[in-house]
């Protein structure tokens, strides 16, 4: 009996200590990201959060004037922008500012025409190879779903507590941190050629995207300060919307469903009491 218990204890010890041994072995190796993103406060956080349309409009402007030179947004159509508070006329005018390749025409030729509200944001490069060639071999990914793709859980204990605090904004937090996080590499850090040091980057200490934002580069017409920090936050909020356009409806429906279930639970309990009262 004692022997079995000892064996059991040894087993438990092995399970607990094994991961520690792995950590110790990796020792000197760096883990990415080197720095965790700071949690920002967003209008769309929490169970009742909503998008700030002014902020999304500013974010769209930052995407169009800066990010769209390298990144596509292929799952978003111009008419989707209605959700940002634009009228049909404004959307038509916005779509017209883009050239779209269409065709073939009756002679079998492809042709270029002005954008229509039903078109999707065009890609800045004709294919992935061209995109890589223009960017030191790295492909600037499509941004439509980036805010969800980079919504990486923070390490324990946040991994658990974030479930209870309803934390759902890891994606925009990461994008904001990445866009504002470029710095000079610390002494001794090895940075690959044509890469820029950024401790927030998810898969290395540097990436092939040069710092895209700087103060004053995009004109805002609603009085918001034209700073790198604001551009980064606004474009991150915009990318959260492109990745999760129906968030508000989902949250509202969720709340109503919970309310209904509470009322329903009360009713069920009342019925149960009534039936069992009669049988006593
Ligand atoms: C000069 C071209 C260029 C511009 C402008 C640019 N990017 Fe990038 N971006 C890249 C490249 C190239 C990569 C891939 C980097 C890599 O994997 O090393 C990238 C990667 C990214 C990533 C993914 C990082 C990851 O974790 O994999 C995000 C997010 C991103 N860019 C957002 C933006 C936003 C938002 C803007 C506009 C403010 C922007 N980029 C402007 C070239 C650009």
């Amino acid at each position: 009996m004692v022997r079995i218990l000892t064996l059991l204890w040894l087993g438990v010890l092995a399970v607990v200590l094994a991961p520690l041994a792995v950590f110790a072995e990796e020792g000197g190796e760096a883990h990415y990201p080197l720095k965790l993103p700071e949690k920002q406060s967003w209008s769309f956080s929490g169970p009742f959060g909503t998008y700030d349309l002014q902020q999304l409009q500013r974010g769209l402007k930052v995407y169009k004037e800066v990010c769209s030179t390298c990144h596509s947004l292929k799952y978003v159509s111009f008419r989707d922008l209605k959700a940002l508070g634009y009228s049909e006329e404004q959307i038509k005018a916005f779509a017209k500012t883009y050239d779209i390749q269409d065709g073939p025409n009756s002679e079998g030729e492809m042709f270029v025409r002005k954008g229509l509200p039903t078109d999707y944001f065009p890609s800045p490069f004709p294919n992935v190879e061209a995109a890589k060639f223009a960017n030191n071999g790295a492909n600037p990914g499509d941004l439509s779903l980036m805010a969800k793709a980079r919504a990486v859980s923070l390490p324990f204990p946040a991994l658990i507590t974030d479930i209870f605090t309803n934390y759902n904004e890891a994606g925009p937090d990461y994008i904001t941190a990445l866009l504002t996080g470029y710095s000079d590499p610390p002494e001794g850090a090895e940075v690959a050629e044509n890469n820029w040091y950024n401790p927030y980057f998810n898969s290395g200490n540097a990436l092939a995207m040069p710092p895209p934002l700087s103060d004053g580069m995009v004109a805002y017409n609603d009085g918001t300060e034209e700073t790198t920090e604001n551009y980064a936050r606004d474009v991150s909020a915009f990318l959260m919307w492109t990745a999760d356009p129906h968030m508000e409806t989902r949250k509202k429906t969720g709340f109503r469903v919970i309310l209904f279930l509470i009322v329903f639970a009360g009713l069920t309990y009342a019925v149960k009491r009534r039936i069992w009262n009669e049988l006593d």
Side-chain angles (χ1 to χ4, degrees):
M1 186 66 196
V2 176
R3 227 189 251 167
I4 293 174
L5 272 181
T6 323
L7 274 178
L8 256 176
W9 269 115
L10 280 178
V12 171
L13 266 181
V15 170
V16 173
L17 292 181
L20 292 182
V22 173
F23 275 127
E25 208 171 291
E26 286 182 3
E29 239 179 74
H31 286 266
Y32 301 116
L34 297 174
K35 276 192 192 169
L36 293 173
E38 196 185 314
K39 282 190 183 175
Q40 305 269 331
S41 102
W42 300 104
S43 66
F44 45 84
S45 322
F48 302 107
T50 53
Y51 288 122
D52 169 354
L53 297 190
Q54 284 291 318
Q55 180 175 45
L56 299 192
Q57 293 194 0
R58 294 194 301 271
L60 168 67
K61 200 155 194 266
V62 175
Y63 167 74
K64 186 178 183 202
E65 291 181 22
V66 185
C67 324
S68 73
T69 45
C70 299
H71 291 278
S72 58
L73 195 65
K74 63 183 176 189
Y75 297 116
V76 182
S77 73
F78 298 125
R79 63 179 168 182
D80 290 338
L81 298 176
K82 216 172 161 190
L84 267 53
Y86 292 112
S87 68
E88 304 223 338
E89 287 313 308
Q90 283 173 311
I91 290 175
K92 265 190 199 160
F94 183 83
K96 262 196 199 155
T97 61
Y98 284 87
D99 288 330
I100 305 285
Q101 202 193 39
D102 202 349
N105 63 12
S106 56
E107 292 164 13
E109 304 283 338
M110 301 302 278
F111 59 93
V112 172
R113 58 161 175 79
K114 293 277 167 229
L116 295 169
T118 43
D119 287 319
Y120 286 74
F121 277 82
S123 171
F125 299 105
N127 50 54
V128 174
E129 283 68 27
K132 279 188 180 170
F133 185 68
N135 288 285
N136 301 317
N139 181 24
D142 185 81
L143 290 185
S144 318
L145 300 172
M146 193 61 91
K148 287 283 164 189
R150 292 294 180 276
V152 181
S153 301
L154 300 176
F156 186 81
L159 187 69
I160 309 290
T161 51
D162 284 349
I163 297 173
F164 296 104
T165 55
N166 224 309
Y167 176 61
N168 216 355
E169 291 74 40
D173 283 349
Y174 171 72
I175 299 174
T176 304
L178 187 75
L179 294 175
T180 53
Y182 288 91
S183 63
D184 289 333
E187 227 167 282
E190 272 181 42
V191 173
E193 208 185 325
N194 290 325
N195 272 234
W196 282 262
Y197 181 79
N198 191 326
Y200 294 97
F201 184 45
N202 215 317
S203 28
N205 68 356
L207 72 168
M209 168 164 74
L213 297 170
S214 58
D215 288 352
M217 75 190 299
V218 178
Y220 277 165
N221 41 24
D222 64 356
T224 306
E225 245 190 290
E226 293 161 4
T227 59
T228 303
E229 176 79 28
N230 283 344
Y231 296 149
R233 276 179 51 84
D234 294 346
V235 78
S236 302
F238 170 69
L239 293 177
M240 182 67 170
W241 170 75
T242 63
D244 197 357
H246 305 299
M247 178 209 70
E248 291 178 7
T249 324
R250 199 179 63 238
K251 284 183 176 174
K252 258 188 224 154
T253 313
F255 179 65
R256 288 189 194 134
V257 168
I258 297 289
L259 210 64
F260 168 78
L261 287 177
I262 291 172
V263 173
F264 190 69
L267 278 177
T268 321
Y269 183 64
V271 169
K272 178 248 170 206
R273 288 210 35 170
R274 211 162 156 173
I275 292 172
W276 284 90
N277 260 349
E278 279 168 22
L279 292 179
D280 263 347

